[in-house]
Amino acid sequence: MRAIFLALPILLAACSGQSQEGGADSLTQRQRDSIVGASGLPGAQGVQKALQAADSAEARGARLDSMRD
């Protein structure tokens, strides 16, 4: 029984999903958030609305920047 408790941290570290090689992920944070927002997970609608708000703010900023030129 004690061996299980000693092996548990090693197993969790191995299954953490992080690359040990230090390579870059293939998806950006925005792409991962978009996937979560499209899923049926609890809170997915909040993620979608946050992405929409970020897009709206970015578009507004671009419009303001174009007015300065």
Side-chain angles (χ1 to χ4, degrees):
M1 184 65 115
R2 185 174 178 199
I4 293 173
F5 289 115
L6 293 175
L8 186 60
I10 296 170
L11 291 173
L12 290 176
C15 298
S16 68
Q18 294 181 355
S19 175
Q20 298 294 329
E21 299 168 0
D25 289 339
S26 60
L27 296 176
T28 64
Q29 183 66 43
R30 168 74 185 201
Q31 290 170 328
R32 283 186 291 244
D33 290 344
S34 179
I35 291 169
V36 170
S39 72
L41 294 171
Q45 288 180 340
V47 173
Q48 277 184 324
K49 289 182 182 184
L51 290 172
Q52 290 172 352
D55 289 343
S56 178
E58 186 177 343
R60 183 173 189 266
R63 286 193 307 269
L64 290 173
D65 285 345
S66 68
M67 290 172 52
R68 290 182 188 166
D69 293 336

